[in-house]
Amino acid sequence: MTDMIVNLHSELLEEKLEQKGVIIRRVVPPEKHVVLEWVGKHFSEKWVSECDVACSVTPADCFIAVKDKELLGFACIDTTFRNFFGPTGVKEEERGQGIGQQLLIHSLKEMKNKGYAYAIIGDAGPVGFYRAKVGAVPIENKPALQYIEYLD
Ligand SMILES: CC(C)(COP(=O)(O)OP(=O)(O)OC[C@H]1O[C@@H](n2cnc3c(N)ncnc32)[C@H](O)[C@@H]1OP(=O)(O)O)[C@@H](O)C(=O)NCCC(=O)NCCS
């Protein structure tokens, strides 16, 4: 795994994405428990911890993809470290329809609005996805989080 860097001024972030009835929006506090339970069910406890951090600030640093009141995906920013994107995930049966890309671009635009020029994608699993969608490039070094022997 590797951290990756994205230029937030890239024209790839200006791409018009097809909506397909999916709304990308910020988590609001009354639904935090629903989001955390969903992340635990579809992903991992480690990601629940990170998502909890993202949902515990106002406004939240967590964005969700919703269709007909169903949660389909999530993405966090400024969570593992400041300036980091992730974790993110889309429900397995809903992948491949552009929802991950919508969440990614929406989140990176928010980071640009916060004043960052670049974002780091932490411990990127699908390197090809990030390269193709937003022109991210791998950072030659081990991921920042791996320098810490955290408890998992
Ligand atoms: C990565 C993820 C969020 C993408 O969500 P998605 O809704 O399927 O994304 P999109 O539909 O916008 O884009 C899918 C594209 O990414 C590509 N892709 C997905 N995973 C990939 C991978 N591991 N490596 C390379 N490409 C990948 C698909 O082939 C597809 O390509 P296409 O646009 O040319 O058809 C989703 O696959 C997921 O939840 N994965 C498990 C969790 C995870 O790995 N999160 C990232 C942690 S850093």
Side-chain angles (χ1 to χ4, degrees):
M1 301 275 256
T2 177
D3 288 341
M4 299 181 83
I5 190 161
V6 189
N7 187 331
L8 298 177
H9 292 267
S10 163
E11 63 285 355
L12 291 170
L13 268 63
E14 299 312 320
E15 225 169 271
K16 287 273 173 289
L17 303 174
E18 219 183 314
Q19 290 302 310
K20 290 183 189 156
V22 177
I23 292 165
I24 309 290
R25 65 164 177 81
R26 205 182 281 278
V27 170
V28 289
E31 64 192 356
K32 173 180 151 175
H33 65 289
V34 178
V35 175
L36 296 188
E37 192 190 328
W38 185 93
V39 172
K41 181 174 165 206
H42 293 280
F43 297 98
S44 66
E45 285 306 303
K46 198 160 74 172
W47 283 11
V48 172
S49 291
E50 293 182 297
C51 196
D52 194 350
V53 170
C55 291
S56 299
V57 289
T58 306
D61 279 329
C62 181
F63 301 92
I64 49 177
V66 183
K67 187 175 182 180
D68 301 330
K69 287 201 102 178
E70 193 198 347
L71 184 45
L72 304 181
F74 80 106
C76 302
I77 61 171
D78 270 346
T79 298
T80 318
F81 296 108
R82 290 213 175 132
N83 202 13
F84 269 53
F85 168 85
T88 186
V90 171
K91 194 177 170 185
E92 201 158 358
E93 311 85 77
E94 302 290 340
R95 291 180 193 164
Q97 306 173 61
I99 297 170
Q101 182 183 17
Q102 281 189 50
L103 280 163
L104 173 64
I105 290 185
H106 187 98
S107 303
L108 295 180
K109 281 181 173 167
E110 289 289 341
M111 294 182 79
K112 186 179 176 186
N113 289 341
K114 283 188 175 199
Y116 296 117
Y118 293 88
I120 310 293
I121 295 164
D123 233 344
V127 168
F129 168 74
Y130 292 114
R131 186 181 280 118
K133 303 300 178 191
V134 292
V137 291
I139 296 172
E140 275 184 32
N141 212 330
K142 69 177 178 181
L145 192 57
Q146 285 185 20
Y147 285 91
I148 302 165
E149 278 187 41
Y150 64 91
L151 309 173
D152 60 358

